[in-house]
Amino acid sequence: MTAFILSRTWQAALVLLVMSFVIYSLIGLMPGDPLDIMIASNPGATPEVVARLRAIYGLDQPILYRYAHWLLAAMQGDLGFSRTHSQPVLVVLIPALWTTCKLMLLSFVVSVALSMVLGIWAALKPGGVVDGVVSLFAFAGISVPVFWLALMMILLFAVKLHLLPASGLSDVGNESFGDYARHLVMPVVTLALSSIGGFTRFVRASMIETLRMDHIRTARAKGNAEGRVVLIHGLRNAMIPVVTVIALSFGSLFSGALVTETMFAQPGMGKMIFDSILSNDFNLALSGLLFATIVTLFSNLLADLAYGWLDPRIKL
Amino acid sequence: MSVMEGASVERAVSPWGLRLRRFRRHRMGMASLVILAVLVLFCLAAIPLQMTGMDPDATDLFARFDPPGPGHLLGMDEAGRDVLLRLMVGGQISLLVGLLATLIGGAVGIVIGILAGYFGGRLDTALMRFTDGMIALPLLPLLIVLGALDLTKLGFSQDFARSGAAGFWRIVVIISIVDWTSIARLVRAATLQIRERDYVRAARAAGAGAAYVMGAHILPNIATPIIVAFTLTVGRVILFESVLSFLGFGIVPPTPSWGNMLNNAQELVTTAPLLAVYPGLLIFVTVIAVNFLGDGLQAAFDPRSEK
Amino acid sequence: MSELLGLDDVSVHFAVRGQTVRAVQHVSLAIAEGETLALVGESGSGKSTLGYTVAGLQAPTEGALRFEGAVLTKATWKQARAKIQIVFQDPFGALDPRMPVSAIIAEPLRIQRIGTDATRRARAAELVERVGLPRDALNRYPHEFSGGQRQRIAIARALSPQPRLIVADEPLSALDVSIQSQILNLMKEVQEQERLSYLFISHDLAVVNHLVDRVAVLYLGRLVEIGPREALFARPSHPYTQALLDAVPRIGRHRARHARIIKGEMPSPLNPPSGCVFHTRCPKAQDVCMQVVPQLEPAGAVGHSAACHFKEGT
C-alpha cells in the first residue's frame, strides 16, 4: 500500500512539474509581455531603456532559464505580484480558492446525492417509465451548455420572478447567513446540474451491471428482501467504478465552476483565472492555473487510492 | 436466428446490415437522426438566402431590437442584424467546428490508442501516462489559455492571425489538442482485446506486419465503439466551442457562432431575453440529439445483441 | 524422405511480471516432407508455444529453425510465412467477423501479394469447394456458419498460399465428436493431394493414433520422447509417456493391472525442477534425476529416442 501511494504521488508530482512548464510556456505565448504594458504607460521610454529593462527583468533569457528561476521562487512561496490587484498573488489566490471550494463541494454533494437516488431508481427497472424519465433528465444534463443554463436561471429566477439574486456573494450591507445562502442557490444548482447527468448515467449503468451478476441472483434466491438486496449487495459492488469516475470528474467540475463563477460573479478561482487572462495579469493567471491543476491532480490521486481501497481484488 | 430463414434465397446479411436493422428500432435514436437532419438543413438554408443578398453581418442601427416581422422572422439583434440568418450561419460554424475537431482529435486518439494497445510495453505505459495526465487536467482554463495565445508569437503572420479563418482553425485545433483522450483509451482497450484473437494470429503467421493487422483487422473490428465515441465527442466539442466563443476566446465576431451570439446576452437578458434563448436552445437541442444518436448507435452495436 | 522443417536446440522464454517463463527448453526435432508429427503434452507443456514458434508467431529465444534446408533469418522469414500456415483450436475466434469468407480464405495471398484480386477470388472459390462448403458460402460472414464449417473455412485459408506445412493447434478439440472425424478426414484428404506436412498439436492420444506418423512428447517445455507412432505406442520408453498411454482407454484392452498413474501437479514453468524436469512426479526417480538433465538417446526402434536415465527398451 505504501509503495502504491508513493508511486502514484510521485507520478502526480511529475505530471505537475511537466504541466507547470507547459503552462509557463503558454502564458509566455499570450499577447504582450510585462514590459509592453510598462512601455504603454510610459511613452517616453527609449529603445535603450526598454532593452535595459528587459535585461533587468530577465526577459532576454531563454525560456528554460526563466522557468527555472520562477520555479525556484515559487517553491519558496513567492508567486509574484498581481498586476491588476496590486497585491501578492497568494493574497489574492487564497480567498478565491476558498470561494471555489465552497461552491464545488456544495454542488458536488448535491449532485452525488441526487444522482445516486436517480441512478438506482432507474436501474431497478431498466426500460420502465422511471428509467425513461431519468434518462431524459440525465441526457438533458450532459447536453445543456452550462453558461446558457445559468443565463436561463437568471432570466427566470432573478429577472422574471425576482426570487433570487443574480450575482455576487452577498448584498451590500447585508452579511447575514441567509443572504449568503440565497446568493449561493443558483450557482450551486447550476454547477450541480452540469455534472449530475453524467453521474446519474454512470450510477445507473453500474447498478444494472451489478444487479445482473450471479451473487445478486443468489441473494434474491435466498429470500432476501428486494430492498436489502439492492442496497446491501448491489450498491457496494456498483460503487467501486462509480467512486472512481466521480472523483476523476473534478477536472470537469472545475471547468464548470469557472463558467458558473463568471456567470454569477462569484469571486472564485475560475473567475479569477478568466479575468487575469483577459487583463494580462500573467503572474495571477499562471498561479491560478497551477492551483487548479494541483487540486484536480490531488483529487485524482484520491480516486486512485479509493479504488484500491474499495476493490478487494486489488491487493496493494 | 431470423437471418437464417430463407438464407438460400436472400443475399447474405453483413454485420452492418444487422446493426442498421437494430438501429431502426431505437426510437430516440431515429428521432434524433431526424432532428439533426432538420437542423443541418436549417443551417444550410442560409446559403440560398445569402445568395439573394442577405448578409448575416450587415448591421442596421435603426433596426436594433426590432421585433419579429415579415422580413425578419425572429427580429433583429442588438446591432440590428437579422437573428434568424445569424442563427443559420452560426449553426454552420458551430456544427463544422464540432465535426472537424472531433475528426482531428479522434484521429489523434485512434493513433495513440492503437499504437499503445498493439505494441504494449514501454510505449503503452508512456502513452497512457500521458493520456491520464491529460484527462486529469481542468480543460476549460487550459482551452482559454490556448484560445488567448498570440499567434504571431508562434510564427504566423499578422494578417493571418487577425483573419476569420485563423479564429476558426484555432478553435478547431485547440479542442482537438485536448479532446482526444477518451477515444485513445477506448481504442487502446479494444485493441488489446482484438490483438489476441486467433484471426490476428493467423494473419501474422501468414506474414502480416503491424500496419496490415491494424488496418485490416483491428480498425474494422473496433469501428463500432469508435463511431459511438465520435458521436458523443461531437456533442462535447459543440459545448466547448459554445462556451469558448461565449467567453470571447473562440469564434470572433462578426462571424457568428451559436456561442458568440450569446456574448452580450447577459446584459440583454433583461431587455431582449429571447435573444439569449434562441442560440442556447439550438445548442441544447443539437447536443441532446447527438447524444441520443450515440446512445441509439451503442444499442445497435452492442455485442451482446450480436450473434 | 527429406527434411522439411528442423528445430535446432530451440528455447522460448518470456518475461511475465519480471519473472522468466521457460516455456520451451532446448528442443531439437525435424519434420519430413509429407509427414505428420504429433506434439503431445498436457496444457502448460509448451506445445502451443512451440507451435507458435514454428508458425512464426513467437521468436525463439535461443536456437534456430531450418526450413527447406536453409536456416530462417529475418530476410527469409516473410517468404517462409507463406509456406507454413496455422489452424487454431477455437473456430469462433479464428475468423474475422467483419470479413466475408472469400476475403478470409484469400487473406494469406493478399498479405503475401500473390496474384491479383481476380486470381485470389478464383482461388478462394476453388478452395471453398475443396473443403466441402457450398460455393455461395463465399459471400457470407462467419457468424452464419457452425463450428465445423468454420473450421473448414480456416483450413481453406491455411491452404490458399499452397503451404508445405500446416501447424494444427488442437484443431478438433473444440468440435463435436461427430464433426471431429469429418474434419480429420478432410485434413488427411488434403494432405494426400498436396503432399503437406502437419505439426499436429494435441493432448488427445486417441486422435493422434489415427493421423500421425510420429509422436513427440513434451513435458514442461522439454522433449522427453520422440519416435514412430507404432514403436512409441507399443513400447513407450519414458515413464511420463507410459503414464500418458495408460490413461488412454482403449477398446479390446482392459486397463493395465499396474496402470502407471502420474501423481501430483505439473510444476510451474516459472521455476522448473533441476535435473530431469519430471523427477518430482516420477515413480522411478533417483538422486541422479535431481541433478543431471537426461539427454535424448536411442530407445530401441529406429528413430525412437527418449530422455530418461532409466528408460526402457535399450
Side-chain angles (χ1 to χ4, degrees):
Chain A
M1 187 74 191
T2 326
F4 180 77
I5 295 176
L6 280 179
S7 105
R8 282 305 157 115
T9 313
W10 162 241
Q11 277 172 8
L14 208 65
V15 172
L16 184 63
L17 189 70
V18 172
M19 275 317 294
S20 71
F21 180 68
V22 170
I23 294 171
Y24 188 88
S25 317
L26 287 178
I27 296 281
L29 286 170
M30 296 220 296
D33 65 33
L35 271 191
D36 290 344
I37 295 154
M38 238 183 261
I39 296 160
S41 59
N42 179 10
T46 59
E48 292 78 46
V49 174
V50 173
R52 223 182 51 232
L53 278 173
R54 261 182 202 289
I56 290 170
Y57 283 91
L59 288 171
D60 51 351
Q61 301 288 340
I63 182 137
L64 261 173
Y65 176 86
R66 280 184 285 149
Y67 168 72
H69 208 76
W70 168 84
L71 188 67
L72 268 174
M75 296 219 279
Q76 288 157 7
D78 176 14
L79 292 173
F81 212 72
S82 161
R83 199 177 62 79
T84 45
H85 293 260
S86 305
Q87 273 176 319
V89 164
L90 269 179
V91 174
V92 185
L93 208 72
I94 286 170
L97 196 60
W98 171 233
T99 305
T100 299
C101 282
K102 226 169 21 185
L103 177 64
M104 277 173 68
L105 279 177
L106 279 172
S107 334
F108 190 69
V109 170
V110 170
S111 79
V112 168
L114 237 115
S115 58
M116 289 282 189
V117 173
L118 291 177
I120 293 170
W121 196 12
L124 292 181
K125 212 177 153 208
V129 179
V130 174
D131 188 26
V133 174
V134 168
S135 285
L136 198 64
F137 172 74
F139 268 104
I142 53 175
S143 307
V144 70
V146 183
F147 67 95
W148 184 69
L149 182 66
L151 263 176
M152 292 300 104
M153 304 241 315
I154 293 172
L155 179 58
L156 185 64
F157 295 107
V159 178
K160 297 277 177 202
L161 301 174
H162 300 291
L163 278 177
L164 292 164
S167 66
L169 286 178
S170 64
D171 287 341
V172 182
N174 184 349
E175 309 257 303
S176 70
F177 177 78
D179 189 52
Y180 276 115
R182 267 164 40 82
H183 279 83
L184 266 174
V185 173
M186 285 211 286
V188 168
V189 170
T190 308
L191 189 52
L193 281 176
S194 75
S195 56
I196 207 168
F199 289 176
T200 306
R201 272 170 61 76
F202 206 80
V203 171
R204 174 186 171 274
S206 181
M207 202 66 195
I208 289 178
E209 192 77 14
T210 313
L211 289 178
R212 264 192 207 149
M213 291 199 291
D214 284 343
H215 71 271
I216 299 290
R217 285 205 211 121
T218 315
R220 278 196 182 126
K222 275 160 62 183
N224 282 315
E226 182 68 18
R228 200 184 137 80
V229 170
V230 170
L231 284 179
I232 308 289
H233 296 268
L235 199 57
R236 209 180 55 199
N237 286 289
M239 279 311 100
I240 296 171
V242 170
V243 165
T244 330
V245 163
I246 286 179
L248 280 175
S249 66
F250 257 91
S252 63
L253 195 66
F254 190 87
S255 296
L258 189 150
V259 176
T260 317
E261 287 167 9
T262 310
M263 297 303 295
F264 294 105
Q266 304 275 308
M269 291 280 289
K271 183 163 164 47
M272 191 198 75
I273 291 173
F274 177 68
D275 289 342
S276 61
I277 290 171
L278 271 186
S279 57
N280 285 348
D281 191 343
F282 299 113
N283 283 337
L284 193 57
L286 182 56
S287 306
L289 284 164
L290 218 58
F291 266 73
T293 313
I294 291 173
V295 169
T296 40
L297 282 175
F298 186 69
S299 68
N300 293 340
L301 191 63
L302 288 184
D304 264 354
L305 299 181
Y307 190 80
W309 176 64
L310 274 170
D311 192 344
R313 281 168 301 184
I314 297 188
K315 281 274 163 285
L316 297 174
Chain B
M1 212 169 115
S2 64
V3 190
M4 285 312 281
E5 67 202 21
S8 52
V9 206
E10 216 178 301
R11 281 274 302 155
V13 184
S14 73
W16 285 105
L18 286 173
R19 296 205 182 93
L20 190 64
R21 286 183 190 181
R22 276 199 298 269
F23 180 73
R24 287 217 200 99
R25 288 198 291 266
H26 194 279
R27 264 178 297 145
M28 291 306 276
M30 284 303 285
S32 302
L33 205 57
V34 173
I35 290 172
L36 286 175
V38 170
L39 276 166
V40 169
L41 286 179
F42 167 77
C43 296
L44 292 180
I47 295 171
L49 288 180
Q50 279 171 295
M51 283 199 284
T52 64
M54 290 181 77
D55 181 355
D57 302 340
T59 56
D60 179 356
L61 291 181
F62 295 106
R64 294 178 69 207
F65 302 119
D66 267 9
H72 308 285
L73 292 178
L74 292 179
M76 300 300 238
D77 70 2
E78 72 274 16
R81 295 170 295 200
D82 184 85
V83 171
L84 183 63
L85 190 61
R86 282 183 76 75
L87 282 175
M88 293 174 171
V89 178
Q92 290 177 17
I93 304 276
S94 293
L95 292 178
L96 206 57
V97 169
L99 286 177
L100 283 173
T102 301
L103 288 179
I104 299 175
V108 172
I110 289 175
V111 170
I112 289 184
I114 208 168
L115 290 177
Y118 190 80
F119 291 108
R122 286 212 188 120
L123 182 71
D124 182 29
T125 315
L127 287 176
M128 282 303 115
R129 280 280 149 265
F130 178 50
T131 311
D132 287 348
M134 285 295 292
I135 288 175
L137 297 175
L139 291 187
L140 191 58
L142 203 63
L143 281 172
I144 290 177
V145 174
L146 288 170
L149 294 190
D150 183 353
L151 289 181
T152 56
K153 287 195 184 176
L154 286 172
F156 291 99
S157 72
Q158 283 276 352
D159 292 342
F160 175 75
R162 293 211 180 118
S163 65
F168 177 82
W169 285 107
R170 172 211 286 270
I171 190 159
V172 168
V173 169
I174 64 176
I175 296 179
S176 321
I177 288 176
V178 300
D179 200 334
W180 50 267
T181 49
S182 57
I183 289 183
R185 287 176 70 106
L186 180 117
V187 167
R188 171 181 175 270
T191 303
L192 279 177
Q193 282 183 358
I194 304 290
R195 165 183 97 156
E196 298 299 323
R197 298 279 156 85
D198 281 344
Y199 54 80
V200 169
R201 292 213 176 96
R204 283 173 49 217
Y212 174 89
V213 170
M214 290 176 191
H217 291 294
I218 294 182
L219 280 180
N221 277 288
I222 62 177
T224 52
I226 290 180
I227 290 171
V228 174
F230 266 51
T231 315
L232 299 175
T233 305
V234 170
R236 210 167 43 232
V237 171
I238 291 177
L239 287 180
F240 270 136
E241 184 277 323
S242 71
V243 69
L244 279 177
S245 297
F246 169 73
L247 292 174
F249 293 100
I251 301 291
V252 188
T255 310
S257 87
W258 285 342
N260 74 20
M261 287 179 72
L262 290 162
N263 272 347
N264 301 320
Q266 201 154 10
E267 290 88 70
L268 299 174
V269 87
T270 43
T271 47
L274 280 178
L275 288 184
V277 173
Y278 297 133
L281 201 60
L282 281 173
I283 298 169
F284 180 46
V285 169
T286 308
V287 176
I288 203 169
V290 164
N291 282 333
F292 269 115
L293 177 67
D295 197 46
L297 291 174
Q298 188 146 40
F301 295 165
D302 188 352
R304 271 175 285 199
S305 57
E306 261 174 56
K307 257 219 130 168
Chain C
M1 282 196 287
S2 61
E3 176 195 280
L4 179 68
L5 175 90
L7 303 188
D8 200 6
D9 199 30
V10 168
S11 297
V12 183
H13 302 167
F14 344 87
V16 175
R17 282 186 222 102
Q19 287 179 291
T20 308
V21 178
R22 294 164 203 280
V24 175
Q25 296 206 71
H26 305 290
V27 169
S28 299
L29 52 80
I31 300 174
E33 277 183 32
E35 182 194 38
T36 300
L37 173 72
L39 204 53
V40 175
E42 296 166 87
S43 57
S45 62
K47 58 187 194 305
S48 283
T49 305
L50 196 57
Y52 284 175
T53 307
V54 170
L57 291 170
Q58 176 72 52
T61 315
E62 286 168 35
L65 275 74
R66 273 187 321 275
F67 188 71
E68 293 183 324
V71 171
L72 284 182
T73 61
K74 273 203 170 137
T76 55
W77 184 84
K78 177 130 187 171
Q79 251 184 332
R81 297 277 58 85
K83 305 262 177 84
I84 306 176
Q85 292 291 305
I86 185 162
V87 174
F88 293 96
Q89 173 177 8
D90 173 20
F92 288 86
L95 309 179
D96 189 334
R98 298 284 182 278
M99 282 188 175
V101 169
S102 58
I104 291 174
I105 295 178
E107 189 180 28
L109 299 172
R110 184 170 145 214
I111 291 169
Q112 290 283 339
R113 298 176 210 278
I114 298 171
T116 63
D117 268 359
T119 61
R120 287 176 213 156
R121 260 201 303 277
R123 175 81 176 144
E126 175 200 332
L127 282 166
V128 83
E129 289 181 346
R130 271 281 281 296
V131 298
L133 289 171
R135 210 180 162 115
D136 71 352
L138 281 174
N139 294 321
R140 299 185 174 282
Y141 287 83
H143 70 95
E144 298 174 68
F145 296 92
S146 68
Q149 288 171 320
R150 290 186 198 211
Q151 205 59 303
R152 288 174 192 270
I153 296 168
I155 290 170
R157 169 176 62 194
L159 290 173
S160 70
Q162 294 181 303
R164 307 300 311 129
L165 171 68
I166 291 181
V167 177
D169 187 4
E170 308 234 16
L172 308 176
S173 48
L175 304 175
D176 290 346
V177 181
S178 56
I179 310 289
Q180 285 186 357
S181 59
Q182 292 175 17
I183 299 295
L184 200 58
N185 289 336
L186 174 67
M187 288 181 69
K188 271 187 192 167
E189 206 179 291
V190 295
Q191 178 170 42
E192 280 156 26
Q193 288 161 354
E194 307 263 332
R195 250 183 84 73
L196 270 176
S197 303
Y198 285 126
L199 177 62
F200 194 98
I201 298 167
S202 178
H203 66 276
D204 184 351
L205 286 167
V207 169
V208 164
N209 206 3
H210 285 105
L211 181 76
V212 307
D213 304 307
R214 285 194 303 144
V215 177
V217 182
L218 228 52
Y219 181 81
L220 259 185
R222 293 218 181 238
L223 186 57
V224 296
E225 184 160 5
I226 185 167
R229 184 193 64 205
E230 300 86 359
L232 190 133
F233 277 25
R235 287 178 302 282
S237 175
H238 195 282
Y240 179 64
T241 317
Q242 291 163 0
L244 272 186
L245 282 171
D246 284 352
V248 179
R250 261 175 284 185
I251 296 169
R253 208 192 77 170
H254 291 290
R255 190 164 204 166
R257 227 173 303 151
H258 306 291
R260 289 153 288 200
I261 308 292
I262 327 173
K263 53 185 196 270
E265 295 272 310
M266 187 156 70
S268 159
L270 275 173
N271 189 12
S274 60
C276 173
V277 283
F278 189 55
H279 82 248
T280 54
R281 299 164 81 190
C282 183
K284 295 184 184 173
Q286 306 287 325
D287 283 351
V288 62
C289 301
M290 289 172 219
Q291 277 135 31
V292 184
V293 180
Q295 299 302 309
L296 270 180
E297 279 160 15
V302 179
H304 186 182
S305 38
C308 178
H309 294 302
F310 303 99
K311 60 183 172 290
E312 289 179 11
T314 21

